[in-house]
Amino acid sequence: MLGLYIERKSPIHALAPGAKMLALMLAAVGLIQVTDPRLLGIVQAAALGLFALARLPPREVAAQLRPVLLLGLFFFAVHALLVGWESGLVTVLRFTILVSLAVLITLTTRVSDMVEALEGGLRPLRRVGVNPAKVGLMISLAIRFVPLLIDLVREIQAAQRSRGLERSVTAVAVPLIVKTLRMASVLTDAIEARGYDPD
Amino acid sequence: MLTTRDMVHIALFAAIMAALGLMPPIPVGFIPVPITAQSMGVMLAGSILGARRGGLAILLFLALVAVGLPLLSGGRGGLGVFFGPTAGFLLSWPVGAFVVGWLTERFRARLTFARLLIACAAGGIFVVYAIGIVGVSLIAGLPLFQAAVGSLAFIPGDLVKAVVAAFVAHTVNRSYPVIRG
């Protein structure tokens, strides 16, 4: 399953996923305190500089950042009209910085490492009844079944095309869901027949 | 307590959400907003799997997006989507699916199309917009009223989705019911 990760040798790629997540959380908390747009501008420039430090291809980075930059422009305009342009600049820079850092983490961290970090992060929740082993099984099952269900959608669309129904959402969604639920039943029996017991 | 069956249902529905994201957006003639099947998946998760499993299926889908898989419609994904001004809408999805499922379970004895439509609209539209609008207001620093007015443009498309989702859920629940007594 292909993620958004881009393989490179860089100090940012080498950081532990947990450390990157912690840094992102600290940045989120820290940015709330900053109200000077000039300071935020410097931080945004530094955040963009980290993409260069991570040696990521500018084209890929631009493709990831374009949606938030467009949204940022839109919200800056609305904010400037309704509230004031200076506070608009501060608010918009706060979220564009955070999105930049979050995108940086996604592009420099393998999906498998992120899953591992997620499971590690859930471990303290064991006391309130969250079983990391079960979460892990559900994640791997879902990742395994995404390409299969995409194929299933294409298959159903091809079948419905012969009836002129490929543009009908219901004509695709109903067989997709019923087939998947049948698959779930078989899969459950198969897992239980192998004596799976996460508890 | 999640049984093996529950876990498989949750995982496969999260994968259905991803598959729905690859369906091309369907333009609706009279309004400018296309139907993307994914936000319809939120309503379907609740109305087919029920509150707990439906909510967890959408939560699992968001976890897959967060770990770096480009599964949102248009091939978007990664951690970044959870920090933009519309993050509230994404985070509202599991709650919305839970509410759709909770209502569907209440209506279980007589699951008519009309009742499913009420469930889908209440959870998939009302709850999603309530949380999403508060999110836009907080993150983009806009007054709540203006954030709400801006979001209203998308309501007609979502009403169409609720009708389609209720129809699909009605058909599936008659032929292959998952929510049982």
Side-chain angles (χ1 to χ4, degrees), chain A residues 1-5 21 24-25 28 64 67-68 71 75 78-79 82-83 91 95 98-99 102-103 105-106 109-111 114-115 118 134 137-139 141-143 145-146 149-150 153-154 157 167 169-170 172-174 176-178 180-185 187-189 191-192 196 198-199, chain B residues 1-16 18-20 22-27 35 37 40 44 48-49 60 63-71 75-81 83-86 136 138-143 146 164 167-168 171-172 175-178:
Chain A
M1 186 75 212
L2 223 58
L4 296 162
Y5 172 74
M21 298 293 288
L24 179 63
M25 293 307 152
Q64 287 300 315
V68 71
L71 268 181
F75 279 107
V78 176
H79 199 121
L82 294 172
V83 189
T91 323
F95 72 68
L98 286 177
V99 173
V103 166
I105 294 179
T106 295
T109 317
R110 279 195 188 84
V111 170
M114 286 293 274
V115 171
L118 177 69
K134 286 186 174 182
L137 175 70
M138 287 189 284
I139 290 176
L141 271 180
I143 291 180
F145 273 88
V146 165
L149 291 193
I150 287 168
V153 166
R154 302 239 160 90
Q157 279 174 327
R167 295 193 72 75
V169 184
T170 53
V172 176
V174 171
L176 170 71
I177 292 167
V178 171
T180 310
L181 293 178
R182 287 217 183 94
M183 218 191 278
S185 184
L187 192 60
T188 306
D189 293 343
I191 294 174
E192 284 184 338
Y196 174 75
D199 296 309
Chain B
M1 216 32 226
L2 293 178
T3 65
T4 309
R5 187 168 300 275
D6 291 338
M7 287 192 280
V8 170
H9 275 142
I10 290 165
L12 292 197
F13 220 96
I16 286 184
L20 290 176
L22 277 128
M23 282 179 69
I26 294 169
I35 290 192
M40 209 180 70
L44 290 173
I48 288 168
L49 296 184
L60 178 61
L64 296 182
V65 171
V67 297
L69 297 175
L71 300 180
R76 290 172 308 123
L79 276 179
V81 298
F83 289 88
T86 54
V136 168
L138 285 177
I139 301 169
L142 294 175
Q146 269 78 9
V164 176
F167 181 80
V168 171
T171 315
V172 172
S175 60
Y176 207 100
V178 175

Side-chain angles (χ1 to χ4, degrees), chain A residues 31-49:
Chain A
L31 283 175
I32 301 171
Q33 328 291 330
V34 184
T35 50
D36 184 351
R38 281 165 302 178
L39 186 54
L40 286 169
I42 294 168
V43 176
Q44 173 71 80
L48 293 178

Side-chain angles (χ1 to χ4, degrees), chain A residues 104-174:
Chain A
L104 180 74
I105 294 179
T106 295
L107 294 181
T108 59
T109 317
R110 279 195 188 84
V111 170
S112 52
D113 292 339
M114 286 293 274
V115 171
E116 216 170 279
L118 177 69
E119 285 174 32
L122 288 175
R123 218 165 289 143
L125 293 180
R126 194 182 260 286
R127 256 173 255 160
V128 292
V130 178
N131 185 337
K134 286 186 174 182
V135 177
L137 175 70
M138 287 189 284
I139 290 176
S140 42
L141 271 180
I143 291 180
R144 169 72 188 80
F145 273 88
V146 165
L148 218 81
L149 291 193
I150 287 168
D151 283 348
L152 190 53
V153 166
R154 302 239 160 90
E155 216 173 274
I156 295 168
Q157 279 174 327
Q160 303 294 31
R161 193 168 301 129
S162 60
R163 305 180 200 167
L165 287 174
E166 82 276 12
R167 295 193 72 75
S168 158
V169 184
T170 53
V172 176
V174 171

Side-chain angles (χ1 to χ4, degrees), chain B residues 118-161:
Chain B
I118 291 171
C120 287
I125 301 179
F126 185 77
V127 170
V128 166
Y129 278 80
I131 299 174
I133 287 167
V134 171
V136 168
S137 165
L138 285 177
I139 301 169
L142 294 175
L144 210 49
F145 179 74
Q146 269 78 9
V149 170
S151 306
L152 287 182
F154 296 97
I155 293 261
D158 280 338
L159 282 171
V160 176
K161 284 179 219 177

Side-chain angles (χ1 to χ4, degrees), chain A residues 26-104:
Chain A
L26 290 177
V29 175
L31 283 175
I32 301 171
Q33 328 291 330
V34 184
T35 50
D36 184 351
R38 281 165 302 178
L39 186 54
L40 286 169
I42 294 168
V43 176
Q44 173 71 80
L48 293 178
L50 290 176
F51 286 101
L53 182 63
R55 301 172 52 197
L56 296 167
R59 187 189 288 261
E60 304 265 346
V61 172
Q64 287 300 315
L65 290 182
R66 198 170 298 125
V68 71
L69 293 181
L70 290 177
L71 268 181
L73 278 177
F74 170 75
F75 279 107
F76 174 71
V78 176
H79 199 121
L81 279 173
L82 294 172
V83 189
W85 72 269
E86 203 152 336
S87 77
L89 195 58
V90 169
T91 323
V92 169
L93 277 172
R94 273 189 195 138
F95 72 68
T96 55
I97 292 169
L98 286 177
V99 173
S100 306
L101 293 175
V103 166
L104 180 74

